[in-house]
Amino acid sequence: MSASARAASLACAPLLRSRNICTLPLSPNLAFSPVPFLRASLPAPTSTTFRARIHAAESPHLLSQSGRGAIVDRVLLRGSALSPRVPPAAEGLRGICGTSPRLATSAAAGAARRGSHPLKAVMAQAGNGGSGEQGEASGERNVAPFGAWESPIGADMASGASLRFGGAMVDSEGRLVWAEGRPTEKGRVVVVREGTRGATPLDISPPSMNVRSRVHEYGGGAFLVAPSPPPATSDATSAGCGVEGDLLIFSNGSDQRLYSLQLTSSGPDAAEASHPKPLTPVVEPPGTLRFADGRLDMRRRRVICVQEDHRPPSETAAPSESSGSGGTEEHGGHGEPSNMIVAVSLDGDGPEAPLMLASGADFYASPRVSPDGTQLAWVEWSHPHMPWERSRVMVGTFGDSGLLSSVQCVAGADDSILEAPMEPLWSQEGDLYFLSDRFSGFWSLHRWNPASATVEVVAEMPKQDGAELMVEVGGPLWVFGNASYAFIPDSPHHVAAICQVKGQSQLAIINTLTRSFTLTPPSDPPLTQMSHLVAGKDRLFVCAGGPSTPLSFYELKPSPDMASLHVLLPPIRASTAIDTASLTPFLSSPQWIEFPTTTPGQENTHSVTPRTAHALFYPPKNGNFRGPDGSLPPLLLKCHGGPTGCLDSALRLPLQFWTSRGFAVVDVNYGGSTGYGREYRERLHGQWGVVDVDDACSCVEYLVRSGLVDGSKVAIDGSSAGGFTTLSALTFRSVFRAGCSLYGIGDLEALALMMHKFEKHYTDTLVAPYSTPEGKQLYQDRSPIKHVDKLACPLLLLQGLKDQVVSPDQARAMHAAVKAKGLPVAIVEFPDEDHGFRNADNIKAALEMEHEFFCRVLLNLPLPPSKRRLTIANFDEDT
């Protein structure tokens, strides 16, 4: 941007932030809402009317379909008369085509059909029917602009109220044990045990420690609880020997060492809790030897787990024996950490070096000891694949020395079969089960038959209306400790499973003898988001939530005929102590939508509906407020991370923070999301930054065309990979008017060059191999930071300075480039956060500043300087 253009845009800013800005046409089919950051050569205005030429090369989204350039004539400020050339059908849709020419047609068509769209019933129930139809629920409510409503769901409530549940297990007495991250304790993760007979749950990990693993950087599987093993000798003195009760073994966040702690029925001994026994040696620098996903080998008094070694090869002891297959890196070759399965002894006077059991592959997960202690099953995979693309399930037999022999590949060895097996689990009878998506493209339960060395599908897919229903059990292996199915206690031939049906979780019961697959009836209230399904002794548990229910741990009770699983109330532990029932007048009820998308390449090769994508739409709702007659709410579109992931459909107060203030929110499961099978996941192969962006834009167009939101007030946000989608949509499309990226990716090249081991080749699949000239060019073509000249709207960047996944340099570079261009931009850095905000104060600050940013730059809502927390460059009068 030239100095004169920047000066002109800044000179326009005070006028353009007026709340009385009208629109003008660029052509009979295109309206434009003036903003202070156009890429245009604008003279300083001396009156309320001026002219400016917009060049096609600079702003193609501002052009009529028939012209290579356009004259912006009669830009009208401070309430001037609306140009008579605005199409009648677009009246009231202020600036709708300032975002996208396609949205003009969509909005006009939507305005004509507004009263008939099925989602209008959702809006009416929320009391926001639009176009003067406020619905029966509106009552005598205050009228205020959308986005400016007062709400009892404050940032304090939304940020500090929700615990972050991690893995779950069951102790020897049948009580649930789980990990929970506490925002109010700066994100510290605590292991908690269910109270006896309804008593208050008890913290059982040391108060001075943070139970967290950093294997693969994302961690998970940071603790295990199991019965104390019998003593190795009669005079053994090591911790846990000869003591009744359970043993808690966990990874400490600061040094990543494993520790053990003896438990009793009343919890850990106070003295021992302050000095848990270290099981792994001290290394320098701290945290370079990491452990996760452990299970107890009772017979040999040791923990078998995944180890990730970040030490230089010269400092690592040579392995005594190794087994495995298919690895591409030997012990951290090319500076990479090495991964393996190891055994950590519970005995001895001091920590001993772990014993290597399996190595050679690039990655390992889910080591599981058979019930009789003679075999070990695990999952492994190697570059360039991610575990949901291709993996292997292995089985080895323990010898007298405790090392593995007779290692064989149970699933994944045949390159002609595309599969990603995961979550191996032994039945009490010693049969090995696991999930695989071979042949069908949907993860389902399989069983290994050692006698015939074959794999068989345990149950056929359920049917609906005579057709096979596409159901998926499980999800991608981003973190350790996933538990998508469990054997029902006292019924060895029945398996409880968490299924994904069109993006929603549902419980099912699988009969391993009859091979029947029964989806259980929905619970009341509905629970649509589930994880951590575990069993022990005579009980079964799940972590679940729904649109009106926060994530909570529940006990499940099978019906006598094994046709359903009943959720027992109240929950054992809810993620929030807030009485959400009292917030009902302010909680938006979402609606699942399937919308058309026009992304090329989404052909109908299987049964997944072609050219459609999925989302969860939340209308604005507030028992005390409604929007002005004839107005429509602004829209905030949310992009989940991953990108191989999916949206969370449980009650989330941070999301309700927005809807209770008058924003509509839509959470998109773009092509590439999980829960819809391999074909839907692979829509993103080679198309990251294209399919996800197009699906986000198509979702907005669908909602605008349906007359549900104001297309001139559309914002987007996302974190991590969702931040990349956000930045790409803002840069390469013209649908959104503002955006917020939370530790998002702006430079694909920098990501490819600096990516940690787990995701080192992830972008080879999502974009292209960076090693080729064509691939390198594609990375540059899709990197938003390389094309800031195409960006034309305000941007907020939120970044943790301890982030080891997306470097803070990415946010800083994006901020500098956008600031230099003269666009409104702000950056907020959080020194004590890494990849994903965990501290309640920081979560609160991020939410408040994002809300302030959108209110100021998107909605033009006034905010006195004394109440501003953000400094917005190229927007605030003193910047």
Side-chain angles (χ1 to χ4, degrees), residues 296-492:
L296 196 63
D297 182 0
M298 294 281 289
R299 177 183 295 186
R300 301 166 188 86
R301 293 188 49 78
R302 60 186 184 174
V303 179
I304 297 179
C305 59
V306 175
Q307 174 185 287
E308 185 171 82
D309 193 345
H310 289 250
R311 297 173 296 172
S314 60
E315 299 182 18
T316 306
S320 57
E321 182 172 321
S322 64
S323 59
S325 62
T328 62
E329 305 291 345
E330 277 298 323
H331 212 78
H334 307 294
E336 285 191 346
S338 58
N339 294 65
M340 61 199 74
I341 293 178
V342 299
V344 177
S345 175
L346 297 176
D347 297 322
D349 296 330
E352 300 177 0
L355 176 67
M356 183 188 299
L357 298 179
S359 68
D362 291 319
F363 303 98
Y364 292 87
S366 308
R368 300 295 182 258
V369 182
S370 62
D372 62 5
T374 62
Q375 293 181 295
L376 182 73
W378 69 89
V379 176
E380 64 179 42
W381 68 98
S382 294
H383 290 316
H385 301 298
M386 298 300 286
W388 49 83
E389 295 170 356
R390 277 190 180 273
S391 59
R392 299 178 291 272
V393 170
M394 312 291 292
V395 173
T397 301
F398 288 117
D400 293 338
S401 65
L403 297 175
L404 291 173
S405 62
S406 305
V407 175
Q408 57 183 310
C409 183
V410 170
D414 189 345
D415 290 340
S416 67
I417 300 176
L418 185 60
E419 66 173 326
M422 60 181 183
E423 291 194 44
L425 191 62
W426 298 91
S427 71
Q428 285 301 313
E429 290 71 29
D431 295 323
L432 180 62
Y433 291 76
F434 56 90
L435 302 177
S436 176
D437 61 344
R438 56 167 56 193
F439 306 129
S440 71
F442 288 77
W443 280 307
S444 59
L445 192 61
H446 288 65
R447 178 172 49 207
W448 176 50
N449 186 332
S452 60
T454 58
V455 171
E456 58 185 10
V457 179
V458 174
E460 301 296 334
M461 288 286 186
K463 297 185 182 297
Q464 185 177 65
D465 299 328
E468 192 174 72
L469 186 63
M470 293 295 98
V471 173
E472 188 155 63
V473 180
L477 200 163
W478 276 107
V479 296
F480 295 100
N482 288 350
S484 303
Y485 68 100
F487 294 96
I488 296 177
D490 301 324
S491 185

Side-chain angles (χ1 to χ4, degrees), residues 25 90 258 381 433 472 574 599 691 707 798 816:
L258 286 183
W381 68 98
Y433 291 76
E472 188 155 63
T599 302
V691 165
L798 304 174

Side-chain angles (χ1 to χ4, degrees), residues 61 689 693-694 697 724-735 746 779-791:
H61 63 287
V693 172
D694 281 349
C697 295
F724 171 69
T725 302
T726 294
L727 294 173
S728 298
L730 295 171
T731 302
F732 301 114
R733 302 292 190 274
S734 53
V735 169
Y779 279 68
Q780 294 174 354
D781 292 343
R782 293 193 193 165
S783 294
I785 195 160
K786 308 288 187 182
H787 304 277
V788 176
D789 60 301
K790 297 180 180 180
L791 187 67

Side-chain angles (χ1 to χ4, degrees), residues 71 91 136 288 322 340 394 425 608 674 752 777 786 824:
I71 299 294
E91 285 286 357
E136 296 178 0
T288 52
S322 64
M340 61 199 74
M394 312 291 292
L425 191 62
V608 176
T674 58
Q777 184 61 50
K786 308 288 187 182

